């Protein structure tokens, strides 16, 4: 399987960057047993350390022609309770996991989370150049600073600097990385946070890989508008999307960037065959998010990350039959300018991903989505 896919990658053209205004869809990769702190949800999902499941999931994403997948990552479990039932622990490293997923697919974009605070820019530049080579331009970097002190302590930090300082450091990191990817020169950089002098050996990317960021703060959005092709947003409701996009466009204009990043909204997805079935199941699953140690700690973490203290568990969702989900997506695009979604699957499996096939068929017939093949599988 991998050998065949590898031959396909070599002969396939580079995944182009061509943002044409049509909708983009991705999957928030389920790298752990459950993405939500619920023992009930965990019991419904497969073992994330089963590589065959991971590869089958990637094949399903390719079959329904998703544009991309995002591999989140972290370094430390948030609680003993969460570890007990598989919430966030164990979890596969976003760079290691990217390699077999790339090898098992031909067109799917694969985005790895790499913490700029925990890796020197030279490490990220070297990783990224090789992943770009392996994927034929299908790899991207999710730029994360880190915000959990108990995670940062693994790397020798007693406490992390504030978010604005971390974004200043990430600005320097991006400058170094882009310089190291230029084979025509040596890098000479001395900044407040990083130093780098010399030339990195190849391979070098033919063009800069896709950068993304999940920024909630004003400083984070300025960083994202300046450097990234995508922003992952996690508003509690879709009506919050227009001001987010307006803010991002303003920052892009200030940075003299011609196009602001495409916004992908993180939203839960559950599709079932019978009307009412999915909603009943979804409500039951969301109600199972417990008030135990795992949920309490996650509430504080996700609330801080999303800058949402009142309802940290609340995300937009698309729930129903395939036809109902398609109608919900069309309505969200019409009402709130939704142009991209990063689906989060509470219940995950290859079969759950395949349920998107009739949804996308409807969107294409309605002219809401352009099949990736018709645009050369562009980002």
């Amino acid at each position: 399987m991998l050998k065949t896919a590898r031959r396909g990658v070599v002969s396939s053209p580079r995944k182009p960057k061509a943002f044409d205004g049509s909708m983009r869809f991705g999957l928030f990769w389920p790298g752990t047993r459950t993405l939500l702190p619920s023992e009930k949800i965990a019991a419904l999902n497969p073992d994330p350390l089963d590589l065959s499941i991971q590869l089958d999931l990637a094949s399903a994403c390719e079959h329904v022609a998703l544009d991309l997948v995002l591999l989140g990552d972290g370094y430390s479990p948030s609680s003993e309770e969460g570890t007990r039932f598989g919430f966030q622990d164990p979890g596969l490293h976003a760079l290691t996991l990217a390699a077999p997923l790339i090898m098992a697919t031909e067109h799917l974009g694969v985005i790895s989370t790499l913490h700029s605070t925990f890796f020197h820019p030279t490490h990220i530049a070297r990783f990224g150049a090789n992943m770009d080579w392996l994927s034929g331009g299908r790899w991207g970097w999710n730029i994360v600073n880190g915000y959990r002190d108990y995670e940062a302590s693994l790397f020798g930090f007693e406490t992390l600097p504030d978010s604005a300082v971390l974004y200043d450091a990430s600005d320097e990191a991006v400058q170094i990385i882009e310089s190291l990817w230029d084979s025509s020169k040596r890098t000479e950089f001395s900044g407040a946070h990083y130093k780098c002098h010399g030339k990195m050996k190849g391979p070098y990317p033919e063009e800069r890989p896709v950068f993304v960021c999940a920024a909630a703060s004003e400083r984070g959005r300025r960083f994202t508008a300046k450097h990234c092709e995508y922003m992952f947003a996690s508003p509690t409701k879709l009506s919050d999307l227009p001001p987010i996009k307006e803010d991002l466009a303003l920052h892009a204009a200030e940075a003299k960037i011609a196009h602001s990043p495409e916004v992908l909204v993180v939203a839960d997805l559950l599709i079932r065959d019978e009307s009412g079935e999915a909603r009943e199941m979804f409500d039951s699953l969301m109600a199972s998010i417990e008030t135990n140690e795992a949920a309490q700690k996650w509430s504080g973490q996700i609330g801080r990350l999303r800058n949402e203290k009142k309802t940290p568990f609340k995300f937009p969702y698309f729930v129903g039959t395939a036809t109902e989900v398609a109608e919900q997506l069309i309505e969200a695009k019409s009402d709130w300018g939704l142009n991209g979604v990063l689906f989060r699957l509470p219940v995950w499996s290859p079969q759950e991903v395949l349920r998107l096939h009739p949804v996308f068929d409807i969107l294409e017939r309605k002219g809401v989505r352009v099949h990736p093949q018709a645009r050369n599988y562009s980002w």
Side-chain angles (χ1 to χ4, degrees), residues 60-88:
C61 291
E62 181 109 323
H63 183 73
V64 301
L66 282 172
D67 293 289
L68 55 90
V69 296
L70 170 70
L71 311 183
D73 207 357
Y75 290 88
S76 181
S78 59
S79 70
E80 293 295 329
E81 180 69 10
T83 297
R84 182 182 65 79
F85 61 80
F87 173 60
Q88 298 183 333

Side-chain angles (χ1 to χ4, degrees), residues 331-372:
E331 183 178 3
K333 180 175 177 61
S334 174
D335 290 352
W336 309 116
L338 180 72
N339 213 39
V341 184
L342 191 68
F343 291 120
R344 185 176 68 173
L345 301 178
V347 180
W348 66 269
S349 70
Q351 292 72 30
E352 293 294 327
V353 171
L354 292 175
R355 290 179 181 274
L356 277 165
H357 209 297
V359 175
F360 289 161
D361 284 345
I362 294 169
L363 296 184
E364 287 158 22
R365 289 199 302 271
K366 297 288 188 179
V368 174
R369 183 193 193 225
V370 177
H371 192 282

Side-chain angles (χ1 to χ4, degrees), residues 34-334:
T34 174
L35 294 171
L36 294 166
S38 162
E39 192 164 359
K40 179 177 181 177
I41 294 175
L44 298 174
N45 292 331
D47 179 4
L49 300 186
D50 184 337
L51 182 58
S52 65
I53 290 289
Q54 298 283 346
L55 298 180
D56 287 347
L57 192 65
S59 295
C61 291
E62 181 109 323
H63 183 73
V64 301
L66 282 172
D67 293 289
L68 55 90
V69 296
L70 170 70
L71 311 183
D73 207 357
Y75 290 88
S76 181
S78 59
S79 70
E80 293 295 329
E81 180 69 10
T83 297
R84 182 182 65 79
F85 61 80
F87 173 60
Q88 298 183 333
D89 181 29
L92 295 164
H93 193 281
L95 192 66
T96 303
L97 178 58
L101 302 188
I102 286 167
M103 298 290 280
T105 56
E106 292 188 48
H107 305 293
L108 187 67
V110 179
I111 297 172
S112 295
T113 297
L114 293 172
H115 293 66
S116 55
T117 308
F118 303 153
F119 290 102
H120 190 277
T122 303
H123 284 303
I124 297 173
R126 185 87 171 113
F127 295 151
N130 279 267
M131 297 305 290
D132 181 82
W133 161 78
L134 183 69
S135 67
R138 292 192 289 125
W139 181 83
W141 175 27
N142 179 32
I143 305 172
V144 173
N145 295 327
Y147 64 97
R148 296 177 285 227
D149 287 337
Y150 67 83
E151 186 174 62
S153 65
L154 290 172
F155 298 88
F157 292 90
E158 292 186 8
T159 58
L160 283 167
D162 66 34
S163 177
V165 172
L166 291 175
Y167 275 115
D168 289 344
S170 290
D171 264 319
E172 291 189 5
V174 169
Q175 292 178 60
I176 292 171
I177 290 164
E178 291 181 338
S179 177
L180 290 171
W181 284 339
D182 184 347
S183 63
S184 68
K185 66 178 185 181
R186 285 173 53 90
T187 294
E188 301 293 344
F189 187 93
S190 294
H193 304 278
Y194 295 108
K195 292 180 173 57
C196 180
H197 305 281
K199 184 175 182 180
M200 185 183 79
K201 68 179 181 180
Y204 305 98
E206 293 179 25
E207 63 176 334
R208 199 200 73 174
V210 162
F211 286 178
V212 305
C213 189
S217 69
E218 194 73 7
R219 178 64 181 90
R221 288 180 186 171
R222 283 196 286 113
F223 173 89
T224 304
K226 180 180 178 181
H227 296 297
C228 298
E229 283 82 11
Y230 287 108
M231 187 182 91
F232 299 131
S234 56
T236 57
K237 54 188 184 300
L238 290 174
S239 58
D240 293 334
L241 179 58
I244 292 173
K245 294 177 71 172
E246 291 168 7
D247 191 40
L248 203 57
L250 176 63
H251 292 313
E254 290 172 348
K256 295 181 169 44
I257 304 296
H259 301 286
S260 60
E262 296 288 324
V263 177
L264 298 178
V265 173
V266 179
D268 290 319
L269 176 73
L270 187 66
I271 301 171
R272 288 295 179 268
D273 296 332
E274 302 296 328
S275 183
E277 180 184 1
R279 184 55 191 261
E280 181 180 355
M281 182 179 182
F282 183 75
D283 289 345
S284 174
L285 294 177
M286 293 301 106
S288 74
I289 296 176
E290 302 156 28
T291 57
N292 56 24
E293 179 194 13
Q296 289 170 3
K297 287 196 173 181
W298 188 69
S299 175
Q301 295 161 12
I302 199 71
R304 179 180 172 190
L305 177 64
R306 300 174 67 204
N307 196 27
E308 172 55 54
K309 301 297 190 296
K310 292 182 179 179
T311 54
F313 291 165
K314 186 178 179 183
F315 283 77
Y317 56 83
F318 298 97
V319 171
T321 64
T323 299
E324 289 168 345
V325 167
E327 291 171 349
Q328 292 164 18
L329 287 164
I330 292 169
E331 183 178 3
K333 180 175 177 61
S334 174

